[in-house]
Amino acid sequence: MPSQRTLRTTVRFEGHGLHSGCKTRLVLKPAPPESGIFFRRVDLSPFVSIPATADYVVNTRFSTTVAAGGCAVSCIEHLMAALYATGLDNVTAEVDGPELPVMDGSSLPYVLGILRAGTVLLSAPRKYLVVTRPLLVAAERARISIHPAPFLRISYTMRFRHPAVTTLFRCYDSRRENFFTEYVPARTFGFLAEVEALRSQGLLAGGSLENALVFGDEGVVGGMKMRYGDEPVRHKMLDLAGDLFLAGCRVMGHIRAYRSGHHLNCRLVRQMLARTDCRMFTEQPEGESLPDPGSGLGAAAIFK
Ligand SMILES: [Zn+2]
């Protein structure tokens, strides 16, 4: 029976938020069994704790934001994907501002920091959410569904009307592919034509060519090299893995996503939690939805 896991020791990160541009310090700390993933705003007095679950999601425009007691933490998805990928179940994430650091636009810096700190097993069984009947949520020109499967599989189709980025499809199967080397390093992306529009709305204040792939009509601008030929779709799948972890535990099922973003991802997670007739929790899954945390060192070797 798989056990829950936490950090061996504290790990610190520092950087600017993508949208606010504010410098933020993030400290990840070990947490006891059954405590889950929590954010704690330590710049406020008294501290405000916010559980990292779908019930606390208040905004999904451009990133995923959780809030409680009138206080929010935004851009949590890349950290959530890193916690998912490194097998962590219980972590307290102390942050001194409203937006997590964007780092290099991927989950790689978080994963490397976590692997350096190390992880430890706890004497409590890990819980899994297993889908027993299909669930679908849809919006205009986008949809996402989950179907019963004894492992995690994500089939994702991304579609843009842009000369450099059009339709991309990719399938992740937790039994066959290494999440660390194939998804964790995939960076966030945007389009040159939209950058100025977002800046005029006060967004992207911390955005730069160091933390996002920006596409012009001819391809990536600023001489940035793509880490994969299909890096944008891999990043959408990384975002999805992070949002999926807002179920409060790991999910088993086959996800089929078409143009799904944070809004639909979080709606699907809420459905999975609410529809007790379509899912169950188990401590003894047939398969495992996680790669071996040690294999993350492969990603370090490739992109350091
Ligand atoms: Zn993202």
Side-chain angles (χ1 to χ4, degrees):
M1 190 182 297
S3 295
Q4 294 179 27
R5 203 176 267 276
T6 191
L7 285 161
R8 185 181 302 279
T9 185
T10 294
V11 54
R12 294 166 200 279
F13 303 93
E14 193 173 292
H16 292 88
L18 178 64
H19 292 295
S20 67
C22 295
K23 193 170 185 180
T24 308
R25 279 177 289 269
L26 170 69
V27 182
L28 303 182
K29 294 184 166 176
E34 311 295 349
S35 54
I37 313 294
F38 265 84
F39 289 99
R40 186 177 286 155
R41 282 281 301 271
V42 295
D43 54 323
L44 305 171
S45 182
F47 296 168
V48 176
S49 289
I50 312 168
T53 62
D55 290 341
Y56 290 84
V57 171
V58 293
N59 194 339
T60 48
R61 192 167 175 248
F62 303 119
S63 71
T64 301
T65 301
V66 286
C71 304
V73 179
S74 68
C75 279
I76 64 167
E77 61 272 15
H78 300 167
L79 175 66
M80 293 303 291
L83 298 175
Y84 163 80
T86 47
L88 288 164
D89 303 282
N90 305 290
V91 170
T92 301
E94 293 187 350
V95 59
D96 67 353
E99 185 181 11
L100 294 191
V102 64
M103 312 304 285
D104 73 347
S106 78
S107 294
L108 184 62
Y110 287 136
V111 163
L112 295 180
I114 290 166
L115 291 175
R116 274 193 292 270
T119 66
V120 288
L121 290 172
L122 298 166
S123 57
R126 172 179 281 159
K127 192 173 71 172
Y128 296 83
L129 188 155
V130 179
V131 175
T132 51
R133 289 164 65 183
L135 284 167
L136 165 83
V137 291
E140 198 187 347
R141 299 193 301 131
R143 64 181 178 270
I144 184 167
S145 58
I146 185 162
H147 307 260
F151 46 84
L152 178 66
R153 189 174 190 195
I154 301 174
S155 306
Y156 195 101
T157 304
M158 192 186 89
R159 193 164 196 176
F160 285 97
R161 287 200 187 119
H162 187 275
V165 184
T166 52
T167 300
L168 290 169
F169 170 79
R170 194 172 174 88
C171 185
Y172 165 69
D173 187 323
S174 60
R175 299 165 303 173
R176 297 197 187 95
E177 226 181 0
N178 187 322
F179 194 81
F180 286 104
T181 54
E182 304 305 321
Y183 296 90
V184 160
R187 290 161 296 176
T188 194
F189 64 96
F191 301 107
L192 196 56
E194 292 174 357
V195 168
E196 284 312 312
L198 289 171
R199 286 224 162 107
S200 70
Q201 294 174 44
L203 297 164
L204 285 182
S208 76
L209 295 178
E210 259 80 69
N211 53 35
L213 288 171
V214 178
F215 288 92
D217 288 353
E218 308 297 323
V220 181
V221 302
M224 290 282 281
K225 276 217 175 99
M226 287 171 72
R227 291 174 175 172
Y228 313 93
D230 60 352
E231 190 165 351
V233 71
R234 292 183 194 232
H235 185 79
K236 297 294 281 184
M237 295 164 80
L238 181 73
D239 279 345
L240 176 48
D243 287 337
L244 206 56
F245 201 22
L246 294 168
C249 65
R250 286 169 172 78
V251 171
M252 299 292 205
H254 181 187
I255 292 173
R256 295 179 189 153
Y258 175 75
R259 302 183 77 240
S260 183
H262 299 302
H263 180 66
L264 280 192
N265 298 347
C266 291
R267 273 183 56 196
L268 179 70
V269 174
R270 281 204 201 96
Q271 280 273 321
M272 287 191 296
L273 294 173
R275 289 288 302 271
T276 53
D277 56 328
C278 296
R279 55 89 175 145
M280 59 180 220
F281 291 104
T282 181
E283 294 170 354
Q284 285 188 306
E286 282 182 53
E288 172 58 271
S289 70
L290 267 182
D292 169 15
S295 64
L297 297 172
I302 293 169
F303 295 105
K304 229 174 173 178

